[in-house]
Amino acid sequence: MHLKTKLLLAQVPLALALLVLGGIAITTLGQLGLSSEKILKDNYRSVLAAQRMKEAIERMDSAALFIALGRREEGKQLAWRNRSTFEEELAVQMKNITEKGEQEASEALLRRWRDYLGSYERFLQENDQSVLRDAFFNELFPKFLAVKEGADHILTLNQDAMVRKSDEVRNFSRRLETSITFAALLAALVGILASMALTTRIIRPLSVLTQTARRIKEGDLEVRARVEGSDEIALLAQEFNTMTDSLDRYRKSSLGELLQAQHASQAAINSLPDPVVTTDLEGKILTANRAAESWFGPGLSGSLGEAVGSLEPALTAAIKKAREYVLSGKGAYLPADLEEAVKIAGSEGERYVLTQAAPVYDDTGSLGSISVVLRDVTLLSKLDAMSKSLVATFAHEFRTPLTSLRLAIHILLQQLAGTMTEKQLDLMYAARQDCERLQNLVDDILSIVRLQSGKIELRRVMVSILPLIEHIIDHHRLLAEERGILLSQVLPPFDEEVFADPERLELVFANLITNAIRHTPAGGSIEIRAKADDEVVRFEVADTGEGIPMEYQAQVFDKYFQVPSGIRKGTGLGLAIAKNIIEAHGGEIGLESAPGQGSTFWFTLPKTARQPGG
């Protein structure tokens, strides 16, 4: 089994823990949403029916009064119209019995209604005004009060039930919070312990190699690395032992030592599973390991670009970029982001290759050659894609119960389900704020997943800079003034344009400006700047805030990262989203900052069409 496979298997417990936790969270949130829906389904319709019956019986009572006062036709029309309304709502109530005692109350209401209706019909048949008035006050009005009292009783039953069920949902949510917290801690603990145990077992042979190397360094050429297995570490140990044997034979010969050093180095390189090619400063191949020859053919020679150009043009561009980085004197080019991996087609199917390059210095300390490593990250890329898909799936699945929860909270805040106390309203407002915060997090996660997967299409047009920045400042001025911060622009008198998606560009500015407002104290200022050269326009968002320590500046654009400050602000996704959008435009993004001196976030955009990475 290969070392890569073992390392991936070591991460399986953490992945399983994440799956279990996600399943528990989705299930419990779904139950919470169903509990809220049950309140509306069981009781809200009965409350509505009772209220409508009360309105209908009151209008029938008014109609009877009209008749008693001599306005017979007007009263009869009003009476028959509301009689049908009452009977319809009473039929609905009889079919929606959900609470203890509600069946008896509904049947009692039905009996009172029939008694009232009989008296009402006799009342309508009477023509003598004096008899009508006596019948209204002595017979009809008391029965009207009895019917209304029955409807009030049903209304009270269901309103009390809604309050009780709301309390049950609140208690359930508290138990849910405790359960999820416990499950998260347990899953994390089990996953970490299992991964640590597997990882420790996997890397144990490395300690054997380390001890062997230390003894060889001390001059003991009799020692050998005892590593069992068939993975890369075992193969490396075998080559290591072979190297030690050769060193022992040639230790008395300076020429032999030089030759053995060369052979040992080549053997170590050959044992690596990834292609390794060393070139001179002009790009001519000097050495290549066996993996490189198996990829590009035996006897590699000539230009490295020509050797790999037949496979995939994008790989040639990646190698050129890595070499130029080393030639510029910046040191080793070691991209860690799998988004820079290049997909190539081979005899074994599609592969994802991540290009790395390192300088090789001569005896004088000058750059003598460049070592290029083509890391096969196919398994890691697939795992990364699965991880993104899993995160996107969880975010989508959270939306449905979250929407139901927000709707239930909104209905309760509108007091459509009954009057709430001030303390209850405070709790519901706090719950609504938490729901909005969770909704923003879900939206940010989905945005960054879509950006990284290329599912969001940029609609680029030529955008004028001055109107764009004025619009952005107007949009954020109120928030800045509320925090006591001066938001302004510092632009030269020019009429430049950039080739960009205006909607995505506004999102980048919104994330940078909002971030600056969060970290700038009252009395500070934020400036929006822009300056152009021949090919690009550089934008800057400079603040007088707290600044960012140097040790965190390389991580600020990573997903979910926030500078440790004791207070969590935002979701940690805004800067990552901005970085993905700018790079999708073919631009660059960065920052300049020092603690106590504020921060300047900058990015560049091309004036004309340019492909990402171009």
Side-chain angles (χ1 to χ4, degrees):
M1 184 181 295
H2 291 294
L3 179 60
K4 291 180 184 177
T5 305
K6 291 182 178 181
L7 291 175
L8 288 174
L9 289 176
Q11 307 308 313
V12 168
L14 284 175
L16 291 176
L18 181 61
L19 286 171
V20 171
L21 179 59
I24 293 174
I26 291 173
T27 301
T28 51
L29 284 176
Q31 292 175 352
L32 183 60
L34 291 175
S35 299
S36 300
E37 292 176 5
K38 190 174 184 297
I39 297 176
L40 300 179
K41 180 180 178 182
D42 289 351
N43 303 109
Y44 180 70
R45 189 61 185 92
S46 292
V47 169
L48 189 61
Q51 290 175 338
R52 289 176 178 174
M53 285 190 288
K54 287 177 60 179
E55 292 175 0
I57 196 67
E58 288 171 353
R59 288 172 182 162
M60 287 185 68
D61 183 67
S62 299
L65 184 59
F66 277 22
I67 293 172
L69 294 176
R71 300 171 64 178
R72 174 175 292 274
E73 291 303 322
E74 184 178 354
K76 289 175 68 176
Q77 291 178 5
L78 181 62
W80 290 117
R81 187 165 58 249
N82 285 280
R83 172 182 175 176
S84 61
T85 299
F86 188 96
E87 290 179 340
E88 289 173 1
E89 295 301 326
L90 180 57
V92 170
Q93 170 58 30
M94 296 300 294
K95 296 178 182 179
N96 192 43
I97 304 299
T98 59
E99 303 301 326
K100 183 178 180 181
E102 191 173 2
Q103 179 70 39
E104 293 80 1
S106 298
E107 292 175 352
L109 176 61
L110 179 59
R111 289 193 299 270
R112 293 179 182 182
W113 164 249
R114 289 174 176 172
D115 185 30
Y116 176 78
L117 194 60
S119 299
Y120 207 96
E121 290 175 349
R122 291 192 298 274
F123 177 80
L124 292 176
Q125 295 173 0
E126 182 63 49
N127 293 319
D128 189 338
Q129 291 299 122
S130 60
V131 174
L132 285 174
R133 283 193 293 271
D134 292 339
F136 174 79
F137 289 106
N138 297 329
E139 180 181 358
L140 202 59
F141 186 72
K143 292 182 179 181
F144 153 72
L145 293 178
V147 173
K148 184 178 179 182
E149 180 183 358
D152 276 328
H153 183 50
I154 293 175
L155 178 63
T156 302
L157 275 176
N158 283 276
Q159 286 178 336
D160 291 343
M162 293 180 75
V163 172
R164 185 183 69 254
K165 290 177 181 179
S166 296
D167 292 337
E168 292 173 356
V169 170
R170 187 179 303 107
N171 294 332
F172 175 73
S173 66
R174 291 172 181 167
R175 294 195 301 271
L176 171 62
E177 180 181 352
T178 303
S179 300
I180 292 180
T181 302
F182 178 76
L185 293 175
L186 182 61
L189 180 61
V190 172
I192 290 173
L193 291 177
S195 294
M196 288 177 59
L198 290 173
T199 303
T200 302
R201 182 175 180 181
I202 291 170
I203 66 174
R204 187 178 296 119
L206 292 177
S207 63
V208 175
L209 284 174
T210 302
Q211 295 174 4
T212 304
R214 186 178 296 113
R215 292 182 61 181
I216 292 175
K217 178 182 177 181
E218 295 171 354
D220 183 5
L221 297 181
E222 300 296 329
V223 68
R224 297 294 181 269
R226 308 296 180 185
V227 177
E228 298 179 355
S230 58
D231 59 14
E232 288 87 343
I233 297 179
L235 294 175
L236 181 60
Q238 294 176 12
E239 297 297 336
F240 197 84
N241 292 334
T242 302
M243 178 190 70
T244 306
D245 292 337
S246 300
L247 281 174
D248 193 25
R249 289 195 301 268
Y250 290 106
R251 69 184 304 173
K252 295 182 180 180
S253 169
S254 58
L255 177 60
E257 291 178 359
L258 291 175
L259 290 174
Q260 182 56 26
Q262 181 181 2
H263 292 159
S265 298
Q266 187 62 41
I269 293 175
N270 283 336
S271 68
L272 296 176
D274 296 322
V276 180
V277 180
T278 302
T279 69
D280 61 15
L281 301 185
E282 303 299 324
K284 182 180 179 181
I285 297 175
L286 300 178
T287 62
N289 69 348
R290 293 171 184 168
E293 292 181 350
S294 67
W295 277 37
F296 310 119
L300 278 177
S301 62
S303 170
L304 178 58
E306 295 175 356
V308 302
S310 59
L311 278 180
E312 181 65 42
L315 184 58
T316 306
I319 293 174
K320 180 181 177 182
K321 179 181 178 180
R323 282 177 42 79
E324 288 177 350
Y325 185 92
V326 175
L327 288 171
S328 66
K330 297 180 181 178
Y333 179 74
L334 301 172
D337 195 345
L338 293 177
E339 297 297 328
E340 296 193 28
V342 176
K343 181 172 69 174
I344 64 173
S347 58
E348 300 179 359
E350 291 183 346
R351 290 179 177 176
Y352 288 85
V353 178
L354 190 64
T355 304
Q356 298 178 335
V360 180
Y361 300 101
D362 57 22
D363 294 339
T364 64
S366 301
L367 181 63
S369 58
I370 300 175
S371 179
V372 178
V373 181
L374 304 178
R375 286 186 57 201
D376 185 355
V377 293
T378 304
L379 290 177
L380 293 176
S381 294
K382 291 181 179 179
L383 184 62
D384 183 62
M386 291 172 60
S387 174
K388 291 176 181 176
S389 175
L390 181 63
V391 170
T393 300
F394 279 169
H396 277 294
E397 291 298 329
F398 267 103
R399 274 187 164 180
T400 300
L402 184 59
T403 300
S404 298
L405 186 59
R406 292 173 65 195
L407 176 60
I409 292 175
H410 176 74
I411 292 174
L412 292 175
L413 286 175
Q414 294 297 319
Q415 304 197 48
L416 298 177
T419 304
M420 301 177 69
T421 65
E422 183 177 355
K423 182 177 182 181
Q424 290 172 335
L425 287 172
D426 290 340
L427 292 174
M428 295 308 299
Y429 281 122
R432 184 173 67 177
Q433 291 178 356
D434 288 340
C435 284
E436 295 296 335
R437 190 178 299 112
L438 184 57
Q439 183 68 55
N440 292 335
L441 176 60
V442 169
D443 291 341
D444 284 347
I445 290 174
L446 289 176
S447 295
I448 199 165
V449 169
R450 292 194 188 106
L451 282 168
Q452 291 182 337
S453 62
K455 291 183 179 179
I456 293 184
E457 180 180 355
L458 296 178
R459 299 177 179 176
R460 289 187 278 189
V461 296
M462 297 307 297
V463 181
S464 297
I465 294 176
L466 290 177
L468 173 69
I469 293 183
E470 289 174 356
H471 169 72
I472 291 170
I473 288 181
D474 289 340
H475 186 70
H476 292 85
R477 191 184 305 279
L478 180 60
L479 177 60
E481 289 177 352
E482 289 177 352
R483 302 290 182 87
I485 299 170
L486 176 63
L487 179 61
S488 61
Q489 63 184 32
V490 180
L491 302 176
F494 68 168
D495 187 17
E496 295 286 351
E497 294 182 335
V498 290
F499 187 64
D501 182 330
E503 182 179 347
R504 305 297 172 189
L505 185 54
E506 286 190 19
L507 178 58
V508 172
F509 271 111
N511 285 336
L512 295 181
I513 294 174
T514 304
N515 187 67
I517 291 175
R518 284 198 194 106
H519 297 278
T520 300
S525 63
I526 300 172
E527 289 186 353
I528 313 299
R529 309 168 185 160
K531 55 184 177 181
D533 60 20
D534 294 337
E535 297 183 356
V536 301
V537 176
R538 176 182 169 113
F539 298 89
E540 296 180 353
V541 177
D543 62 61
T544 59
E546 58 203 35
I548 301 173
M550 181 63 67
E551 61 267 26
Y552 300 123
Q553 292 184 14
Q555 302 170 264
V556 294
F557 293 104
D558 293 345
K559 290 180 292 186
Y560 310 112
F561 178 79
Q562 294 190 0
V563 176
S565 63
I567 301 176
R568 186 171 179 84
K569 303 176 180 179
T571 63
L573 290 173
L575 294 179
I577 292 173
K579 180 175 183 290
N580 278 271
I581 292 175
I582 295 303
E583 290 180 348
H585 280 80
E588 297 180 348
I589 189 169
L591 80 153
E592 300 167 0
S593 180
Q597 300 181 18
S599 302
T600 299
F601 284 85
W602 60 266
F603 63 90
T604 62
L605 288 175
K607 293 182 178 180
T608 57
R610 178 192 295 181
Q611 294 299 321

